[in-house]
Amino acid sequence: MERPVTTLFMLMSLDGKISTGCTDSLDMDADLPRIAGLKEGLGQYYAIEQTTDLWSLCSGRVQAKLGVNENPPPDRTPVSFVLIDNHNLTEHGVRYFCAKAQQLVLVTTNPHHPAFGVQADNLHVLLQPELDLKAMLAYLYSEHNCQRLTIQSGGTLNGLFLRCKLIDHVDIVVAPVLVGGSEVPTLVDGPSLHAPEELGQLGVLELEGCQVLEGSYLRLRYRVVS
């Protein structure tokens, strides 16, 4: 199957959390800039983010949490976006991303998604009977010439990519903080393995780079070897 080369790029705590808590009122992007000892080095993560692929995949839930359903339209960026969403984005949120993206591909299993009511030259809605990440990536490659894709979604979607063997690289910025909490989203969530014969679903990694950043932040880059 021809598909984009994918990189999972995330900011996480040392204990693997990608949020500061288990509710939508808590969020790394909103909370870390307010905490002494963390805010000073956080800008390095955003600077690295600016160097990632020109196609970026995220979830509607994460974007709704960041306020796109209420925010005013942004300026156009050079990035094209893939949004996986069934019910978190409003029509305003879809229009927000149409204003921001070079191309916007919205992937949904909801035939009544608000995106179907939006007319925009750069909006493409991919309706699937059930979420099929392999078919989605093949579509992005063949129909939109997407060669490389950065994945910045929540733990559940990251888990689906992992189990489907659809992650090629992992690029992580580790913040010097411990969050804790069994209900807090982690880098990779979703169903756990239950039996030894399922061990082939693990993602085995090879270190490509380790960079000590300012303020005790780290950047870890891996290639997925199996």
Side-chain angles (χ1 to χ4, degrees):
M1 179 189 70
E2 291 186 307
R3 64 168 180 83
V5 175
T6 61
T7 299
L8 176 61
F9 175 73
M10 300 289 290
L11 172 69
M12 74 176 193
S13 66
L14 183 60
D15 55 337
K17 308 299 185 181
I18 58 173
S19 181
T20 48
C22 63
T23 67
D24 284 351
S25 63
L26 293 166
D27 182 79
M28 286 278 196
D29 290 299
D31 299 335
L32 265 57
R34 301 183 294 182
I35 302 174
L38 298 176
K39 62 182 180 181
E40 293 81 2
L42 185 59
Q44 298 167 105
Y45 165 73
Y46 296 114
I48 294 170
E49 186 178 40
Q50 294 301 309
T51 68
T52 57
D53 301 315
L54 289 178
W55 278 88
S56 177
L57 180 143
C58 46
S59 71
R61 180 185 178 190
V62 170
Q63 295 306 313
K65 185 177 178 180
L66 295 175
V68 301
N69 289 331
E70 297 83 27
N71 291 343
D75 294 332
R76 182 85 62 184
T77 72
V79 180
S80 294
F81 289 91
V82 182
L83 291 177
I84 298 178
D85 182 64
N86 282 335
H87 53 75
N88 292 283
L89 294 178
T90 64
E91 183 174 314
H92 179 94
V94 175
R95 293 187 184 279
Y96 174 96
F97 266 97
C98 287
K100 182 177 182 177
Q102 292 295 316
Q103 299 294 324
L104 172 60
V105 177
L106 191 138
V107 183
T108 186
T109 61
N110 177 10
H112 306 291
H113 195 282
F116 288 106
V118 176
Q119 297 294 320
D121 292 340
N122 64 340
L123 172 62
H124 316 274
V125 182
L126 177 61
L127 178 63
Q128 297 184 318
E130 58 183 28
L131 183 61
D132 185 334
L133 296 178
K134 291 182 179 180
M136 178 198 73
L137 291 177
Y139 166 82
L140 292 173
Y141 186 91
S142 64
E143 299 300 319
H144 297 283
N145 195 32
C146 174
Q147 302 289 321
R148 303 188 66 89
L149 176 68
T150 295
I151 300 168
Q152 291 182 280
S153 58
T156 301
L157 267 177
N158 292 346
L160 289 175
F161 275 99
L162 171 66
R163 299 301 184 218
C164 291
K165 298 292 185 180
L166 295 174
I167 299 175
D168 300 308
H169 300 272
V170 180
D171 190 348
I172 299 297
V173 175
V174 182
V177 62
L178 296 171
V179 176
S182 61
E183 297 179 355
V184 180
T186 68
L187 180 67
V188 179
D189 288 327
S192 302
L193 302 183
H194 295 90
E197 56 267 25
E198 297 177 318
L199 291 176
Q201 297 181 46
L202 295 175
V204 180
L205 309 177
E206 179 181 81
L207 185 66
E208 292 186 310
C210 177
Q211 183 180 4
V212 179
L213 304 176
E214 295 179 5
S216 296
Y217 280 75
L218 290 173
R219 183 185 184 185
L220 303 173
R221 294 180 291 113
Y222 295 90
R223 181 176 67 91
V224 180
V225 296
S226 66

